[in-house]
Amino acid sequence: MSTESMTKVPLHVSMIMDGNGRWAKERGKERVEGHFAGVESVRACVEAAVENGVKYLSLYAFSEENWNRPQAEVDTLMGLMVKAMANEMDSLDRNGVRFVVLGNRARLADELNATIDSCMERTKDNDVLVLIIFLSYSGKWDILQAAMKMAEDMKDNPGRKEEIVNEGVKAFDRYLVTADIPDPDLIVRTSGESRLSNYLLWQGAYSELLFVDTLWPDFRKDDFRKALESYAKRDRRYGKVK
Ligand code: IPE
Ligand code: IPE
Ligand code: MG
């Protein structure tokens, strides 16, 4: 990349990891084989993010709607989460990756929650890359839980309502599960689908969107670099005239 485009490295890249089932089907395998294969793509993206100076990488791993899939697939996916976290954590920690899981944690099994807590605690001081896994997440759920927390806050503090009104939308950001995380600059969805499927609806208000045909288990470092190149060419105007 040119020096000019190098200055336009996104701070936060987010991936909607889609197409695992179709990848498996193309090979005459069970859908879950696609999920297993997708772990290698996660590894590739983490490495590519670090190599290219991206500071936040977030991955949509399981939506609130995905709970409606056949129980066997849900169970396999949840088991895979535990296994992948256990397998990858040494390497992530060694490489300075802070690991964060965001979503409706109340719906996750105790074993998974315990694994998540220990991985988050272990890596909390790392600062090379923040890797965020959105698990049991949906944008509408996030906005609803934020609204409920805000209402609770206003009930207890009469002065709080005025503060929120004065501060505007920024005040609401702090109630979302992403309170400490900058909004995604770039959201990439694999597998040729051009939709957000209830992902980061609030936070993605001004994200650049990129839809690629590659199925998630085929996504590699080169694809990640190409996504960064596409981003570098974008002109973000935020409603202003440039
Ligand atoms: C993405 O792949 C993984 C999850 C949503 C959990 P899919 O399982 O949605 O694969 P396709 O879209 O059916 O091919
Ligand atoms: C979106 O993929 C959710 C994740 C990638 C985790 P889906 O495969 O669930 O989305 P739809 O059903 O095609 O919209
Ligand atoms: Mg899908």
Side-chain angles (χ1 to χ4, degrees), residues 16-25 31 34-35 60-63 66 69 73 77 81 189-191 193 195 215-217:
I16 301 177
M17 309 185 287
D18 197 16
N20 298 353
R22 278 162 284 168
W23 182 92
K25 196 172 172 209
R31 289 178 54 81
H35 301 318
Y60 198 12
F62 193 88
S63 70
N66 289 151
R69 290 190 176 196
E73 182 172 343
L77 269 165
M81 304 285 175
R189 183 173 187 147
T190 58
S191 88
E193 308 294 354
R195 55 176 171 262
L215 301 175
W216 178 250

mmCIF file of all heavy atoms in Angstrom, residues 16-25 31 34-35 60-63 66 69 73 77 81 189-191 193 195 215-217, ligand 1:
data_model
loop_
_atom_site.group_PDB
_atom_site.id
_atom_site.type_symbol
_atom_site.label_atom_id
_atom_site.label_comp_id
_atom_site.label_asym_id
_atom_site.label_seq_id
_atom_site.Cartn_x
_atom_site.Cartn_y
_atom_site.Cartn_z
ATOM 1 N N ILE A 16 -18.497 -10.102 9.885
ATOM 2 C CA ILE A 16 -19.671 -10.980 10.002
ATOM 3 C C ILE A 16 -19.252 -12.279 9.313
ATOM 4 O O ILE A 16 -19.160 -12.360 8.084
ATOM 5 C CB ILE A 16 -20.916 -10.358 9.340
ATOM 6 C CG1 ILE A 16 -21.243 -8.996 9.986
ATOM 7 C CG2 ILE A 16 -22.112 -11.323 9.451
ATOM 8 C CD1 ILE A 16 -22.423 -8.255 9.357
ATOM 9 N N MET A 17 -18.943 -13.269 10.134
ATOM 10 C CA MET A 17 -18.332 -14.514 9.636
ATOM 11 C C MET A 17 -19.442 -15.425 9.105
ATOM 12 O O MET A 17 -20.050 -16.165 9.863
ATOM 13 C CB MET A 17 -17.591 -15.214 10.782
ATOM 14 C CG MET A 17 -16.627 -14.308 11.552
ATOM 15 S SD MET A 17 -15.671 -15.210 12.784
ATOM 16 C CE MET A 17 -16.880 -15.550 14.050
ATOM 17 N N ASP A 18 -19.688 -15.370 7.813
ATOM 18 C CA ASP A 18 -20.838 -16.111 7.280
ATOM 19 C C ASP A 18 -20.413 -17.066 6.159
ATOM 20 O O ASP A 18 -19.429 -16.820 5.462
ATOM 21 C CB ASP A 18 -21.880 -15.103 6.758
ATOM 22 C CG ASP A 18 -23.248 -15.734 6.585
ATOM 23 O OD1 ASP A 18 -23.482 -16.831 7.139
ATOM 24 O OD2 ASP A 18 -24.091 -15.133 5.896
ATOM 25 N N GLY A 19 -21.158 -18.150 6.020
ATOM 26 C CA GLY A 19 -20.948 -19.073 4.901
ATOM 27 C C GLY A 19 -20.355 -20.418 5.300
ATOM 28 O O GLY A 19 -19.991 -21.213 4.429
ATOM 29 N N ASN A 20 -20.290 -20.685 6.585
ATOM 30 C CA ASN A 20 -19.703 -21.956 7.043
ATOM 31 C C ASN A 20 -20.504 -23.160 6.559
ATOM 32 O O ASN A 20 -19.943 -24.168 6.120
ATOM 33 C CB ASN A 20 -19.664 -22.011 8.583
ATOM 34 C CG ASN A 20 -18.792 -20.929 9.173
ATOM 35 O OD1 ASN A 20 -18.112 -20.207 8.443
ATOM 36 N ND2 ASN A 20 -18.798 -20.813 10.491
ATOM 37 N N GLY A 21 -21.837 -23.041 6.650
ATOM 38 C CA GLY A 21 -22.698 -24.157 6.258
ATOM 39 C C GLY A 21 -22.565 -24.455 4.777
ATOM 40 O O GLY A 21 -22.454 -25.620 4.361
ATOM 41 N N ARG A 22 -22.557 -23.385 3.961
ATOM 42 C CA ARG A 22 -22.441 -23.572 2.506
ATOM 43 C C ARG A 22 -21.069 -24.136 2.142
ATOM 44 O O ARG A 22 -20.956 -24.951 1.228
ATOM 45 C CB ARG A 22 -22.701 -22.240 1.781
ATOM 46 C CG ARG A 22 -24.180 -21.948 1.604
ATOM 47 C CD ARG A 22 -24.437 -20.504 1.294
ATOM 48 N NE ARG A 22 -24.305 -19.676 2.495
ATOM 49 C CZ ARG A 22 -24.245 -18.346 2.478
ATOM 50 N NH1 ARG A 22 -24.274 -17.704 1.333
ATOM 51 N NH2 ARG A 22 -24.160 -17.677 3.606
ATOM 52 N N TRP A 23 -20.044 -23.716 2.845
ATOM 53 C CA TRP A 23 -18.679 -24.232 2.602
ATOM 54 C C TRP A 23 -18.671 -25.748 2.820
ATOM 55 O O TRP A 23 -18.121 -26.501 2.016
ATOM 56 C CB TRP A 23 -17.708 -23.550 3.568
ATOM 57 C CG TRP A 23 -16.266 -23.935 3.411
ATOM 58 C CD1 TRP A 23 -15.334 -23.308 2.635
ATOM 59 C CD2 TRP A 23 -15.599 -25.031 4.069
ATOM 60 N NE1 TRP A 23 -14.112 -23.941 2.764
ATOM 61 C CE2 TRP A 23 -14.253 -25.003 3.634
ATOM 62 C CE3 TRP A 23 -15.991 -26.019 4.965
ATOM 63 C CZ2 TRP A 23 -13.299 -25.930 4.068
ATOM 64 C CZ3 TRP A 23 -15.049 -26.944 5.397
ATOM 65 C CH2 TRP A 23 -13.728 -26.898 4.949
ATOM 66 N N ALA A 24 -19.309 -26.184 3.896
ATOM 67 C CA ALA A 24 -19.351 -27.614 4.208
ATOM 68 C C ALA A 24 -20.183 -28.366 3.166
ATOM 69 O O ALA A 24 -19.770 -29.424 2.671
ATOM 70 C CB ALA A 24 -19.923 -27.820 5.612
ATOM 71 N N LYS A 25 -21.336 -27.781 2.834
ATOM 72 C CA LYS A 25 -22.240 -28.431 1.877
ATOM 73 C C LYS A 25 -21.549 -28.660 0.528
ATOM 74 O O LYS A 25 -21.675 -29.737 -0.067
ATOM 75 C CB LYS A 25 -23.500 -27.579 1.700
ATOM 76 C CG LYS A 25 -24.640 -28.334 1.059
ATOM 77 C CD LYS A 25 -25.934 -27.545 1.074
ATOM 78 C CE LYS A 25 -26.970 -28.301 0.237
ATOM 79 N NZ LYS A 25 -27.941 -27.384 -0.371
ATOM 80 N N ARG A 31 -22.776 -29.440 8.177
ATOM 81 C CA ARG A 31 -22.608 -27.995 8.399
ATOM 82 C C ARG A 31 -21.558 -27.677 9.455
ATOM 83 O O ARG A 31 -20.775 -26.742 9.312
ATOM 84 C CB ARG A 31 -23.943 -27.375 8.851
ATOM 85 C CG ARG A 31 -25.009 -27.297 7.786
ATOM 86 C CD ARG A 31 -26.296 -26.699 8.380
ATOM 87 N NE ARG A 31 -26.038 -25.417 9.031
ATOM 88 C CZ ARG A 31 -25.934 -24.269 8.372
ATOM 89 N NH1 ARG A 31 -26.100 -24.221 7.081
ATOM 90 N NH2 ARG A 31 -25.683 -23.145 9.025
ATOM 91 N N GLY A 34 -18.003 -26.910 8.664
ATOM 92 C CA GLY A 34 -17.711 -25.536 8.238
ATOM 93 C C GLY A 34 -17.355 -24.652 9.430
ATOM 94 O O GLY A 34 -16.463 -23.807 9.346
ATOM 95 N N HIS A 35 -18.060 -24.856 10.535
ATOM 96 C CA HIS A 35 -17.754 -24.076 11.743
ATOM 97 C C HIS A 35 -16.350 -24.430 12.247
ATOM 98 O O HIS A 35 -15.575 -23.551 12.623
ATOM 99 C CB HIS A 35 -18.779 -24.342 12.850
ATOM 100 C CG HIS A 35 -20.200 -24.013 12.458
ATOM 101 N ND1 HIS A 35 -20.520 -22.878 11.751
ATOM 102 C CD2 HIS A 35 -21.373 -24.680 12.663
ATOM 103 C CE1 HIS A 35 -21.835 -22.850 11.546
ATOM 104 N NE2 HIS A 35 -22.371 -23.936 12.088
ATOM 105 N N TYR A 60 -18.496 -11.391 14.617
ATOM 106 C CA TYR A 60 -19.875 -11.797 14.929
ATOM 107 C C TYR A 60 -19.894 -13.325 14.861
ATOM 108 O O TYR A 60 -19.856 -13.904 13.772
ATOM 109 C CB TYR A 60 -20.806 -11.186 13.883
ATOM 110 C CG TYR A 60 -22.278 -11.119 14.233
ATOM 111 C CD1 TYR A 60 -22.764 -11.358 15.510
ATOM 112 C CD2 TYR A 60 -23.200 -10.757 13.242
ATOM 113 C CE1 TYR A 60 -24.120 -11.248 15.795
ATOM 114 C CE2 TYR A 60 -24.563 -10.651 13.522
ATOM 115 C CZ TYR A 60 -25.017 -10.895 14.793
ATOM 116 O OH TYR A 60 -26.363 -10.790 15.071
ATOM 117 N N ALA A 61 -19.920 -13.958 16.014
ATOM 118 C CA ALA A 61 -19.779 -15.414 16.064
ATOM 119 C C ALA A 61 -21.119 -16.133 16.204
ATOM 120 O O ALA A 61 -21.269 -17.273 15.753
ATOM 121 C CB ALA A 61 -18.868 -15.802 17.225
ATOM 122 N N PHE A 62 -22.080 -15.479 16.874
ATOM 123 C CA PHE A 62 -23.367 -16.152 17.124
ATOM 124 C C PHE A 62 -24.392 -15.078 17.475
ATOM 125 O O PHE A 62 -24.210 -14.320 18.423
ATOM 126 C CB PHE A 62 -23.200 -17.141 18.288
ATOM 127 C CG PHE A 62 -24.338 -18.107 18.448
ATOM 128 C CD1 PHE A 62 -24.337 -19.315 17.754
ATOM 129 C CD2 PHE A 62 -25.409 -17.826 19.291
ATOM 130 C CE1 PHE A 62 -25.387 -20.223 17.900
ATOM 131 C CE2 PHE A 62 -26.460 -18.727 19.446
ATOM 132 C CZ PHE A 62 -26.446 -19.938 18.754
ATOM 133 N N SER A 63 -25.464 -15.038 16.689
ATOM 134 C CA SER A 63 -26.470 -13.995 16.925
ATOM 135 C C SER A 63 -27.545 -14.512 17.882
ATOM 136 O O SER A 63 -27.673 -15.721 18.097
ATOM 137 C CB SER A 63 -27.112 -13.595 15.591
ATOM 138 O OG SER A 63 -27.933 -14.639 15.100
ATOM 139 N N ASN A 66 -29.509 -16.947 16.124
ATOM 140 C CA ASN A 66 -28.898 -18.259 15.888
ATOM 141 C C ASN A 66 -29.308 -19.296 16.937
ATOM 142 O O ASN A 66 -29.156 -20.495 16.715
ATOM 143 C CB ASN A 66 -27.368 -18.157 15.813
ATOM 144 C CG ASN A 66 -26.849 -17.487 14.565
ATOM 145 O OD1 ASN A 66 -25.783 -16.877 14.574
ATOM 146 N ND2 ASN A 66 -27.568 -17.579 13.454
ATOM 147 N N ARG A 69 -31.531 -22.165 15.675
ATOM 148 C CA ARG A 69 -31.058 -23.262 14.800
ATOM 149 C C ARG A 69 -31.292 -24.612 15.487
ATOM 150 O O ARG A 69 -31.564 -24.657 16.693
ATOM 151 C CB ARG A 69 -29.567 -23.064 14.525
ATOM 152 C CG ARG A 69 -29.330 -21.854 13.634
ATOM 153 C CD ARG A 69 -27.907 -21.780 13.159
ATOM 154 N NE ARG A 69 -27.758 -20.658 12.247
ATOM 155 C CZ ARG A 69 -26.735 -20.485 11.433
ATOM 156 N NH1 ARG A 69 -25.739 -21.369 11.431
ATOM 157 N NH2 ARG A 69 -26.685 -19.451 10.625
ATOM 158 N N GLU A 73 -26.838 -28.336 16.260
ATOM 159 C CA GLU A 73 -25.865 -27.377 15.718
ATOM 160 C C GLU A 73 -25.476 -26.348 16.782
ATOM 161 O O GLU A 73 -24.296 -25.995 16.927
ATOM 162 C CB GLU A 73 -26.436 -26.676 14.472
ATOM 163 C CG GLU A 73 -25.433 -25.699 13.859
ATOM 164 C CD GLU A 73 -25.853 -25.099 12.513
ATOM 165 O OE1 GLU A 73 -26.758 -25.650 11.861
ATOM 166 O OE2 GLU A 73 -25.248 -24.081 12.130
ATOM 167 N N LEU A 77 -21.752 -25.754 18.208
ATOM 168 C CA LEU A 77 -21.123 -24.428 18.148
ATOM 169 C C LEU A 77 -20.654 -23.973 19.524
ATOM 170 O O LEU A 77 -19.540 -23.452 19.670
ATOM 171 C CB LEU A 77 -22.117 -23.412 17.586
ATOM 172 C CG LEU A 77 -22.088 -23.213 16.077
ATOM 173 C CD1 LEU A 77 -23.335 -22.479 15.616
ATOM 174 C CD2 LEU A 77 -20.835 -22.448 15.653
ATOM 175 N N MET A 81 -16.837 -23.206 20.848
ATOM 176 C CA MET A 81 -16.388 -21.940 21.476
ATOM 177 C C MET A 81 -15.474 -22.259 22.655
ATOM 178 O O MET A 81 -14.386 -21.694 22.787
ATOM 179 C CB MET A 81 -17.579 -21.108 21.998
ATOM 180 C CG MET A 81 -18.631 -20.776 20.986
ATOM 181 S SD MET A 81 -18.147 -19.498 19.830
ATOM 182 C CE MET A 81 -19.576 -19.521 18.731
ATOM 183 N N ARG A 189 -18.660 -8.472 5.534
ATOM 184 C CA ARG A 189 -19.455 -9.702 5.614
ATOM 185 C C ARG A 189 -19.027 -10.644 4.499
ATOM 186 O O ARG A 189 -18.959 -10.235 3.335
ATOM 187 C CB ARG A 189 -20.957 -9.419 5.498
ATOM 188 C CG ARG A 189 -21.769 -10.720 5.667
ATOM 189 C CD ARG A 189 -23.252 -10.499 5.732
ATOM 190 N NE ARG A 189 -23.930 -11.757 6.064
ATOM 191 C CZ ARG A 189 -25.032 -11.865 6.780
ATOM 192 N NH1 ARG A 189 -25.607 -10.793 7.257
ATOM 193 N NH2 ARG A 189 -25.570 -13.050 7.027
ATOM 194 N N THR A 190 -18.783 -11.875 4.849
ATOM 195 C CA THR A 190 -18.396 -12.875 3.856
ATOM 196 C C THR A 190 -19.643 -13.589 3.329
ATOM 197 O O THR A 190 -20.744 -13.407 3.840
ATOM 198 C CB THR A 190 -17.425 -13.909 4.471
ATOM 199 O OG1 THR A 190 -18.063 -14.522 5.595
ATOM 200 C CG2 THR A 190 -16.123 -13.259 4.906
ATOM 201 N N SER A 191 -19.449 -14.392 2.297
ATOM 202 C CA SER A 191 -20.429 -15.341 1.744
ATOM 203 C C SER A 191 -21.455 -14.740 0.800
ATOM 204 O O SER A 191 -22.423 -15.408 0.443
ATOM 205 C CB SER A 191 -21.146 -16.133 2.854
ATOM 206 O OG SER A 191 -22.300 -15.454 3.324
ATOM 207 N N GLU A 193 -23.755 -12.455 1.127
ATOM 208 C CA GLU A 193 -25.010 -11.874 1.623
ATOM 209 C C GLU A 193 -24.778 -10.393 1.906
ATOM 210 O O GLU A 193 -23.782 -10.027 2.508
ATOM 211 C CB GLU A 193 -25.456 -12.537 2.932
ATOM 212 C CG GLU A 193 -25.523 -14.049 2.911
ATOM 213 C CD GLU A 193 -26.581 -14.598 1.983
ATOM 214 O OE1 GLU A 193 -27.362 -13.799 1.427
ATOM 215 O OE2 GLU A 193 -26.616 -15.822 1.782
ATOM 216 N N ARG A 195 -26.403 -8.051 3.947
ATOM 217 C CA ARG A 195 -27.277 -7.576 5.034
ATOM 218 C C ARG A 195 -26.500 -7.593 6.337
ATOM 219 O O ARG A 195 -25.454 -8.232 6.451
ATOM 220 C CB ARG A 195 -28.537 -8.424 5.146
ATOM 221 C CG ARG A 195 -28.283 -9.913 5.312
ATOM 222 C CD ARG A 195 -29.587 -10.709 5.519
ATOM 223 N NE ARG A 195 -29.320 -12.141 5.461
ATOM 224 C CZ ARG A 195 -29.499 -12.900 4.373
ATOM 225 N NH1 ARG A 195 -29.965 -12.370 3.271
ATOM 226 N NH2 ARG A 195 -29.209 -14.190 4.411
ATOM 227 N N LEU A 215 -16.422 -17.476 1.149
ATOM 228 C CA LEU A 215 -17.076 -18.103 2.308
ATOM 229 C C LEU A 215 -16.115 -18.026 3.493
ATOM 230 O O LEU A 215 -14.891 -18.106 3.317
ATOM 231 C CB LEU A 215 -17.423 -19.570 1.992
ATOM 232 C CG LEU A 215 -18.356 -19.764 0.784
ATOM 233 C CD1 LEU A 215 -18.537 -21.257 0.471
ATOM 234 C CD2 LEU A 215 -19.721 -19.107 1.016
ATOM 235 N N TRP A 216 -16.651 -17.872 4.698
ATOM 236 C CA TRP A 216 -15.790 -17.623 5.851
ATOM 237 C C TRP A 216 -14.634 -18.634 5.995
ATOM 238 O O TRP A 216 -13.482 -18.231 6.186
ATOM 239 C CB TRP A 216 -16.619 -17.534 7.147
ATOM 240 C CG TRP A 216 -15.721 -17.324 8.326
ATOM 241 C CD1 TRP A 216 -15.428 -18.208 9.322
ATOM 242 C CD2 TRP A 216 -14.934 -16.147 8.590
ATOM 243 N NE1 TRP A 216 -14.516 -17.662 10.187
ATOM 244 C CE2 TRP A 216 -14.201 -16.403 9.761
ATOM 245 C CE3 TRP A 216 -14.784 -14.908 7.938
ATOM 246 C CZ2 TRP A 216 -13.325 -15.459 10.310
ATOM 247 C CZ3 TRP A 216 -13.911 -13.976 8.474
ATOM 248 C CH2 TRP A 216 -13.188 -14.257 9.660
ATOM 249 N N PRO A 217 -14.859 -19.931 5.855
ATOM 250 C CA PRO A 217 -13.726 -20.857 6.066
ATOM 251 C C PRO A 217 -12.603 -20.694 5.032
ATOM 252 O O PRO A 217 -11.504 -21.194 5.248
ATOM 253 C CB PRO A 217 -14.363 -22.247 5.952
ATOM 254 C CG PRO A 217 -15.803 -22.023 6.287
ATOM 255 C CD PRO A 217 -16.127 -20.675 5.707
HETATM 256 C C1 IPE B 1 -21.857 -18.516 9.899
HETATM 257 O O1 IPE B 1 -22.071 -19.509 8.961
HETATM 258 C C2 IPE B 1 -21.753 -19.055 11.309
HETATM 259 C C3 IPE B 1 -22.889 -18.706 12.170
HETATM 260 C C4 IPE B 1 -23.895 -17.935 11.830
HETATM 261 C C5 IPE B 1 -22.899 -19.261 13.507
HETATM 262 P P1 IPE B 1 -23.505 -20.121 8.699
HETATM 263 O O2 IPE B 1 -23.701 -21.271 9.631
HETATM 264 O O3 IPE B 1 -24.537 -19.069 8.762
HETATM 265 O O4 IPE B 1 -23.335 -20.666 7.220
HETATM 266 P P2 IPE B 1 -24.363 -20.508 6.038
HETATM 267 O O5 IPE B 1 -24.697 -19.057 5.933
HETATM 268 O O6 IPE B 1 -25.550 -21.341 6.370
HETATM 269 O O7 IPE B 1 -23.628 -21.002 4.838
#
